[in-house]
Amino acid sequence: MSETAAEEQRMKCVRASVELGFGRDFARIAVAGVGMLSLLLAGCSQKSGVESVGPPVASLHLHGSAYGGEQPVSGATIQLYAVGTTGDGSASTPLLTQVVTSDSNGEFTLAGDFQCPSASTLVYLTATGGNPGLPTGMTNPQLALMAALGSCGSLGSTTTINVNELTTVAAVWPLAPFMSSYSAIGSGSSDASALTSAFAEAAVFADTTTGRVPGLNVPTGSTVPVEQIDTLADALASCTNSNGGVAGDGSACGMLFAAATPPGGAAPVNVIGAGMNLANNPTLDSSSLFGLVGGKSPFQPTLTSAPASLAVQLGSPTGGLSISTSALVFPAAYLNFSSMESFTITNNSLIPSSIAISIVGAGAADFSVVTNLSNPDAECLVFPLAPGETCTALIGFTPTSSGARNASALVEGTPANLLQSVALSGAGLAHTGSSVTLSPASLTFSLAGAPQPVTVTNNGMTPIAIGPITVSSIGSETNNCGAILAAQSICTIQVEVADITYQGKPQSGTLTVIDSGSPGVGTVSLSAPLTNEVSFLPQPINFGDLAVGVTSQANSRNDIFVEDDGSSPVPAAVTTSIVGPNASDFSVKLQQFPIEIHLENNLFVTFTPSGVGPRTATLVTNYGNIPLSGNGIPDGPSLTITPLSAVAGMLGVATPVPANGVAPQWTNTGSVVLTSSGAITGPDASSFSMTASGNLTIAPTQSVPFTVTFTPSHLGLNTATLTVTDATTGYSNSIPLTGYGEPDAPSVTPSSLDFGPSAIGVQSAAQTMTISAPGGDPVSFSSNPGSNFVVSFGTCAIQTPCQISVSFNPPNAYFYSLSYTVTDLVTEESTNFNLSGSGGVASVSLSSSSLTFAARDIGTTSIPQTVTLTNTGDATLTIAGETFSGANVGDFPIEANTCGSSLAAGANCTLTISFAPTASGARSAVLQIMSNAASSPDNIQLMGTAN
């Protein structure tokens, strides 16, 4: 491959890497991307930063130049690094064995000075120190520039490297999560592919062969933020083109370093360090940074005002995912204290997209993706994100060490989007002073749902911050401690065991309280002792809205199981009472059902609100307590409808709408009889249908079950409203209906192929299948390993409809089957087709192995005789043809032949032969039948006499 071709191939790989998020945890990307990936990355050699493939790569003759703005830097120290492989921010390996410096023109040459560990090793170049046009003898010790070069194998003998502030911004911003300093850029094995993607993104931001932005082969539909990069590069150049300085000294470097100092972090000491801080903390003081950019700054065009964010990201093409922010800044927190921030993701495409979020960077252990327990339907990681829909991603921060903490949240979607990241930053505070004390040191529980108090005391003279309070294993807690416990103060934690299922063994747990003092951790041991077999499941009962004076249906969801296994003491009988502010609004009836040695105790609880507003009480038993609640509403009509969650379906296919695990119904919660009817209205009402219709009479507390079916009428979001109305009063209530129309899956015709019994070791004749996908989309194929079916996929990876060709080659007499998944590379919808067949042998049986004809005159023809050929084997008989041998092959013509070229197992055919002598005397020949049977050739002896 020529150098020009090699460079074109390298840039093709860079582009494909960015377009598909190359290497970024492809287990999370649907199989659909694999086919397209193989097309785009064919021939690419760029691999993860920790992978060593093949022998070391000998050094090349590389030429380059170092510039500060447009001023050559002389005397700069040049170093070529290989990325670290022992973790994010791990030490890089310097590759140059001799000191290399730039000359008076800023130029340098690397010749025989380095050896890469492998062609796939990721490398970058730095230029540090030197004279950026200062008087002779002066240098700028804070000067530090960088260029991300990519895989060592992508470098050629004529590669030119231009390193300046533009290449520095292009390199540092994507690589910042993996940096500790310019000499420590690396990753671990778990996120090495993310580091590869960061290098690929750097190549799109700037071209290191020219030192200009944008880079080559920007992904179609995407934009490089040229003005943002120019502005940041100009800010760095204000320090580069100076004699240096430190934060706070009033110099250009001092102002840059002050603006790039994160809360709780140290000020940077060189230009790359400043860039790393700005990339990791894009919400830092952008106005001060913008003030360093003058009208004659070297890189143009620049922004006209200070940017809201200092992030550098590719603009997503229309139809991808968009993220609400480029950075999350967490408040400084004591070690092991937790906080949460969030960002939103919007799906701007026309198809649903699954979301994957991963945390990378030197401080990744301090950040986490948090499950949204309060609203799981809105969580990005639970359901595919529908077109036009927005979800919330929660990120937690729990510092494990003091000082500035940084990482990045990488966001991926399916189909694969451009690499998108959210910078994460916070600061850890060391624990100081005294911790709180907890009393008592232990708690023993015999009742579920019955809280016991723990007193938290601050005996000191200064406030103490209260961090996470958790209960492990057997209980839960509530507290009134707040975020700060004042000096000489107390607060209380109420601990309870929510569910008790002893079943003959004790239980234990721990209450843990984190605070800002030292050691900062206090614990209380929790235990439930060994008892007889008892199971108590006291889930709270909430009756919801109900009109004043109306009695609800009985709720009996909670059971107490007591087992008398003959041990001592005998379990006590269940006793009940109701206490609390509104105890008279609730009643309980206990029913017991003996089941063998078990006693099942059902608690039937009803609710009759005596007033308007929230009503609460507690059902107390000798085995634990159950919280009771409801809400009293005024007399009159009222009804509630079971909420329905969103559902996805294909066009024209009916799909039941789920109801979050609860059978959907509307319930009369008022005090009057309702004559209710349900109706569906809205922009996509035709996409939904409901079973309940007409005027349905329901008394107070009664319910009407119904079902809703979604049959999408168009792709994307389908919305409507289900409204239930009382015909007498006009009272109504509504719930939204949401569905997502998904593209049709690819079709396969026929949907399966059965080759039946086939000859062992012989490849069968090919059969074809037609693959079609909506819009002519290309498809990919995947299957379990299997080599007995030979499949040729034709042009399906380019477009559909297309045909695939399948043959079968069984190695032995077994049954074989294989299932393939066909995935649309655009929509990621998939379907399956199956292949089957068995190995067998063909066998020939002849009704006669010889034919003797009566004597006759020369030149006449006898009455024909027939031989039947039967395939008595279990595989198709392949007949290659019939031939004659012997002395008189021309005297026995074949009058008819029904055998053809193949004969199915168990089938038969016939050969009809006559005798037509051409000379006198005894005449004979042999008819040979050639086939794939083991007995081939099978012979029929032919004999006759001529007068």
Side-chain angles (χ1 to χ4, degrees):
M1 183 182 292
S2 68
E3 294 300 332
T4 301
E7 179 62 16
E8 290 177 352
Q9 178 64 28
R10 182 179 77 86
M11 294 314 301
K12 174 184 176 183
C13 295
V14 167
R15 180 181 179 186
S17 177
V18 174
E19 285 181 341
L20 291 176
F22 174 46
R24 288 182 292 114
D25 195 1
F26 268 99
R28 297 183 178 179
I29 298 179
V31 176
V34 176
M36 186 64 72
L37 178 68
S38 63
L39 292 175
L40 293 178
L41 297 185
C44 300
S45 62
Q46 187 174 23
K47 299 182 184 295
S48 71
V50 299
E51 185 176 0
S52 293
V53 179
V57 177
S59 59
L60 299 169
H61 183 92
L62 302 178
H63 179 77
S65 60
Y67 271 71
E70 298 185 3
Q71 175 66 44
V73 180
S74 62
T77 299
I78 307 300
Q79 183 56 264
L80 184 68
Y81 288 99
V83 297
T85 60
T86 58
D88 294 342
S90 56
S92 304
T93 301
L95 299 179
L96 300 185
T97 58
Q98 301 178 20
V99 176
V100 177
T101 57
S102 57
D103 63 17
S104 59
N105 295 317
E107 297 184 358
F108 56 87
T109 298
L110 310 182
D113 296 318
F114 70 94
Q115 188 177 64
C116 286
S118 76
S120 64
T121 300
L122 296 172
V123 294
Y124 62 96
L125 183 140
T126 61
T128 56
N131 185 335
L134 302 172
T136 302
M138 294 184 65
T139 62
N140 181 354
Q142 277 70 54
L143 188 152
L145 302 172
M146 178 179 171
L149 305 181
S151 64
C152 191
S154 67
L155 303 178
S157 60
T158 59
T159 298
T160 298
I161 303 169
N162 279 277
V163 58
N164 57 21
E165 291 86 353
L166 291 175
T167 64
T168 301
V169 172
V172 171
W173 261 251
L175 298 179
F178 307 95
M179 298 178 64
S180 299
S181 67
Y182 67 73
S183 61
I185 302 177
S187 67
S189 58
S190 63
D191 61 352
S193 54
L195 179 58
T196 300
S197 291
F199 268 83
E201 190 173 29
V204 175
F205 285 152
D207 182 0
T208 58
T209 64
T210 63
R212 296 297 176 185
V213 293
L216 300 177
N217 292 311
V218 177
T220 303
S222 299
T223 55
V224 172
V226 173
E227 292 85 356
Q228 182 91 341
I229 295 176
D230 284 346
T231 301
L232 292 168
D234 285 336
L236 299 185
S238 69
C239 175
T240 300
N241 294 319
S242 74
N243 60 354
V246 295
D249 67 358
S251 66
C253 285
M255 289 187 287
L256 172 66
F257 296 162
T261 302
V269 296
N270 58 55
V271 171
I272 292 178
M276 183 179 71
N277 281 2
L278 295 173
N280 281 327
N281 304 272
T283 59
L284 287 177
D285 185 4
S286 63
S287 59
S288 296
L289 191 75
F290 188 73
L292 299 173
V293 180
K296 296 183 179 181
S297 294
F299 305 112
Q300 299 292 332
T302 59
L303 300 172
T304 57
S305 61
S309 169
L310 301 175
V312 176
Q313 293 182 328
L314 284 172
S316 297
T318 301
L321 300 177
S322 61
I323 301 176
S324 62
T325 184
S326 60
L328 294 181
V329 180
F330 295 80
Y334 289 100
L335 305 190
N336 299 316
F337 277 48
S338 298
S339 62
M340 284 193 303
E341 300 289 341
S342 66
F343 59 87
T344 59
I345 302 173
T346 301
N347 182 3
N348 300 308
S349 71
L350 297 177
I351 60 175
S353 176
S354 296
I355 306 296
I357 303 173
S358 56
I359 308 295
V360 300
D366 291 9
F367 300 88
S368 61
V369 181
V370 181
T371 301
N372 189 351
L373 296 176
S374 62
N375 188 9
D377 285 347
E379 184 180 338
C380 292
L381 305 182
V382 176
F383 303 108
L385 192 60
E389 191 176 50
T390 296
C391 64
T392 301
L394 295 180
I395 306 297
F397 173 53
T398 306
T400 58
S401 60
S402 57
R405 312 299 296 164
N406 295 100
S408 287
L410 298 183
V411 179
E412 297 173 318
T414 53
N417 281 255
L418 295 175
L419 171 64
Q420 298 188 78
S421 64
V422 176
L424 310 176
S425 61
L429 305 175
H431 291 250
T432 58
S434 300
S435 287
V436 298
T437 60
L438 306 180
S439 179
S442 64
L443 294 175
T444 300
F445 294 87
S446 59
L447 297 177
Q452 296 189 47
V454 172
T455 301
V456 182
T457 304
N458 177 2
N459 292 305
M461 303 304 295
T462 58
I464 296 177
I466 302 297
I469 299 174
T470 58
V471 176
S472 66
S473 301
I474 67 170
S476 61
E477 61 79 27
T478 59
N479 68 83
N480 61 0
C481 293
I484 299 292
L485 185 58
Q488 299 291 300
S489 299
I490 64 171
C491 63
T492 303
I493 302 172
Q494 296 287 346
V495 184
E496 67 176 273
V497 177
D499 298 337
I500 290 184
T501 306
Y502 291 139
Q503 298 188 355
K505 60 182 180 181
Q507 299 181 90
S508 62
T510 304
L511 167 69
T512 302
V513 179
I514 306 295
D515 65 58
S516 61
S518 180
V521 179
T523 60
V524 173
S525 62
L526 313 175
S527 63
L530 176 66
T531 71
N532 294 86
E533 298 270 348
V534 176
S535 176
F536 180 45
L537 306 174
Q539 301 299 320
I541 301 176
N542 184 352
F543 290 89
D545 292 343
L546 193 60
V548 172
V550 175
T551 300
S552 71
Q553 299 287 320
N555 188 302
S556 60
R557 290 177 299 164
N558 298 275
D559 298 328
I560 302 175
F561 295 92
V562 179
E563 179 178 321
D564 182 3
D565 59 1
S567 61
S568 180
V570 175
V574 176
T575 61
T576 64
S577 63
I578 296 178
V579 299
N582 310 113
S584 61
D585 287 13
F586 302 87
S587 63
V588 60
K589 180 179 180 181
L590 174 64
Q591 288 188 346
Q592 297 180 328
F593 303 93
I595 305 176
E596 297 181 348
I597 62 173
H598 299 277
L599 185 62
E600 178 179 330
N601 297 266
N602 287 348
L603 304 173
F604 294 90
V605 185
T606 57
F607 172 50
T608 310
S610 60
V612 175
R615 320 297 289 174
T616 60
T618 301
L619 172 59
V620 177
T621 81
N622 55 324
Y623 286 100
N625 302 337
I626 300 173
L628 306 176
S629 60
N631 186 56
I633 59 176
D635 288 343
S638 176
L639 63 85
T640 59
I641 310 173
T642 302
L644 297 177
S645 54
V647 67
M650 293 185 180
L651 298 184
V653 178
T655 304
V657 180
N660 299 313
V662 179
Q665 60 186 18
W666 67 73
T667 303
N668 183 349
T669 54
S671 59
V672 298
V673 174
L674 299 180
T675 304
S676 59
S677 62
I680 296 177
T681 59
D684 302 304
S686 62
S687 298
F688 300 87
S689 60
M690 182 176 60
T691 55
S693 61
N695 290 326
L696 305 171
T697 301
I698 55 173
T701 75
Q702 299 298 309
S703 300
V704 172
F706 68 93
T707 60
V708 172
T709 301
F710 174 53
T711 308
S713 58
H714 62 82
L715 292 177
L717 185 65
N718 288 241
T719 61
T721 300
L722 188 159
T723 302
V724 179
T725 304
D726 176 37
T728 302
T729 64
Y731 174 87
S732 66
N733 199 358
S734 302
I735 60 170
L737 301 176
T738 303
Y740 309 105
E742 297 180 335
D744 291 337
S747 64
V748 182
T749 307
S751 60
S752 63
L753 291 178
D754 184 1
F755 287 84
S758 298
I760 295 173
V762 177
Q763 185 167 320
S764 71
Q767 299 186 45
T768 59
M769 307 177 86
T770 299
I771 313 295
S772 298
D777 294 344
V779 296
S780 67
F781 298 84
S782 62
S783 71
N784 294 325
S787 60
N788 303 314
F789 296 92
V790 181
V791 184
S792 175
F793 300 109
T795 61
C796 294
I798 301 173
Q799 65 180 12
T800 56
C802 60
Q803 283 191 332
I804 65 172
S805 174
V806 186
S807 299
F808 180 44
N809 189 357
N812 47 46
Y814 294 134
F815 175 79
Y816 296 92
S817 65
L818 187 63
S819 178
Y820 268 90
T821 298
V822 184
T823 304
D824 189 315
L825 288 173
V826 177
T827 67
E828 295 193 333
E829 297 295 333
S830 62
T831 191
N832 296 326
F833 68 84
N834 298 306
L835 307 175
S836 60
S838 60
V841 295
S843 180
V844 170
S845 174
L846 298 173
S847 60
S848 176
S849 60
S850 66
L851 295 178
T852 300
F853 293 88
R856 62 183 314 98
D857 294 335
I858 296 172
T860 63
T861 302
S862 71
I863 296 173
Q865 296 188 47
T866 299
V867 175
T868 300
L869 185 157
T870 302
N871 179 2
T872 56
D874 54 7
T876 299
L877 177 70
T878 301
I879 301 174
E882 297 81 24
T883 62
F884 285 94
S885 65
N888 312 117
V889 295
D891 289 7
F892 300 92
I894 299 176
E895 302 293 346
N897 181 355
T898 65
C899 290
S901 60
S902 64
L903 191 63
N908 58 61
C909 60
T910 58
L911 294 162
T912 302
I913 306 163
S914 297
F915 177 42
T918 58
S920 61
R923 313 297 287 174
S924 65
V926 175
L927 175 60
Q928 295 181 317
I929 303 171
M930 313 301 293
S931 71
N932 63 339
S935 59
S936 179
D938 291 281
N939 298 330
I940 302 175
Q941 181 70 45
L942 306 174
M943 296 172 291
T945 302
N947 297 322

